Amino acid sequence: MARARIGDDVGSAAVIAALADASDTRSLATAVRYLLQLLAERAPGNTVEVRVPPYGAVQCIPGPRHTRGTPPNVVEMDAATWLALATGRSTWDEAVAGGAVHASGQRADLAALVPLRVAGVA
């Protein structure tokens, strides 16, 4: 069963709220899930798994599909890092160099995909 899509109005509001107050865990969880949803919609595929524990994970980027076990291309980070990357408050290179992103596999690079443009978020 597919997850319900987070509407743009709800998602944008959650991103704005999470940026204003990262201690608001409800807004942070919704913002993370919404931004992961946008990533999967904008780069559909099954080659790279992007994980933001404990809030969610998506598969994205076209290419070879894996079917069992841990995917060969994995990107993992905490919620604050994902929020910063997805909204342009940090760059991919900064996050990787600072150790905030753990990326493994030849295709585990989101530099061309972030930041995501979110309505109402500057």
Side-chain angles (χ1 to χ4, degrees):
M1 184 171 170
R3 286 186 187 158
R5 185 181 189 289
I6 298 170
D8 292 330
D9 55 339
V10 172
S12 294
V15 171
I16 292 166
L19 288 171
D21 180 8
S23 67
D24 177 2
T25 56
R26 179 173 283 187
S27 292
L28 181 61
T30 301
V32 166
R33 291 181 183 120
Y34 175 68
L35 293 167
L36 287 170
Q37 170 186 291
L38 288 181
L39 176 65
E41 290 173 356
R42 294 177 186 179
N46 297 95
T47 299
V48 177
E49 184 166 294
V50 179
R51 300 173 180 168
V52 183
Y55 301 111
V58 296
Q59 292 184 355
C60 58
I61 303 175
R65 179 183 179 94
H66 73 279
T67 56
R68 294 186 144 179
T70 300
N73 301 286
V74 176
V75 175
E76 188 167 332
M77 68 200 85
D78 64 20
T81 301
W82 174 237
L83 192 63
L85 282 172
T87 60
R89 280 148 179 79
S90 178
T91 68
W92 176 258
D93 291 337
E94 290 169 346
V96 170
V101 170
H102 304 283
S104 63
Q106 293 178 336
R107 297 174 182 246
D109 185 340
L110 304 180
L113 301 171
V114 292
L116 303 167
R117 301 292 176 224
V118 178
V121 179

